[in-house]
Amino acid sequence: MKIAVTYDNGNVFPHFGRTQQFKVYEIAGGKVADAQVMDTDGNGHGALAGLLSGWGVDTLICGGIGAGAQSALMEAGIQFYGGVAGRADEAVDALLAGTLTYSPEVHCEHTGHGHHGEGHQCGHDRHGCPGSERL
């Protein structure tokens, strides 16, 4: 199993399509066997599903995520847990323990509405993206 987490300075990055990095965890025997931070090399939104698939990722943990990205992940066979906030390592540990708090209804309303504007922090309720839950 390989789990990717949208990543920023140790935390789950709040917007899948704008993440600059993923932390990718190799799981063996129900535990983290290896982890490394990987750059997206400027790829965003729908292209990220292909990038994750190419890395062999089968599970994603993220904050806010739009419908198009959700569809791309489903087509790539990647299960995702959206609406997650907090420390990336803790989120993976919670997923492995079966206690991850996430929102199955998470989505981002900003697609097509200044989506690439400065200061956009999808995944935070104050920006209109529901489902951002704390671990």
Side-chain angles (χ1 to χ4, degrees):
M1 173 183 221
K2 269 194 181 177
I3 301 170
V5 180
T6 54
Y7 190 76
D8 182 42
N9 197 30
N11 294 309
V12 177
F13 187 72
H15 189 300
F16 172 76
R18 294 197 56 204
T19 192
Q20 299 287 316
Q21 296 180 317
F22 288 98
K23 188 166 183 182
V24 179
Y25 300 79
E26 183 77 40
I27 308 302
K31 297 183 184 215
V32 175
D34 187 40
Q36 59 184 316
V37 176
M38 302 180 74
D39 291 327
T40 64
D41 294 325
N43 288 300
H45 295 91
L48 293 175
L51 187 67
L52 292 172
S53 182
W55 291 342
V57 168
D58 53 43
T59 305
L60 169 72
I61 298 172
C62 63
I65 183 169
Q70 290 181 20
S71 294
L73 289 168
M74 286 187 271
E75 288 177 23
I78 298 172
Q79 182 174 8
F80 61 92
Y81 298 85
V84 178
R87 305 293 294 169
D89 292 350
E90 291 174 10
V92 170
D93 290 342
L95 177 66
L96 295 174
T99 61
L100 180 66
T101 300
Y102 69 99
S103 173
E105 303 299 322
V106 72
H107 64 282
C108 175
E109 298 290 343
H110 293 281
T111 303
H113 302 285
H115 191 246
H116 297 286
E118 289 298 314
H120 176 72
Q121 295 292 315
C122 232
H124 293 266
D125 290 334
R126 64 190 164 108
H127 294 285
C129 294
S132 183
E133 303 289 334
R134 284 263 168 220
L135 290 175

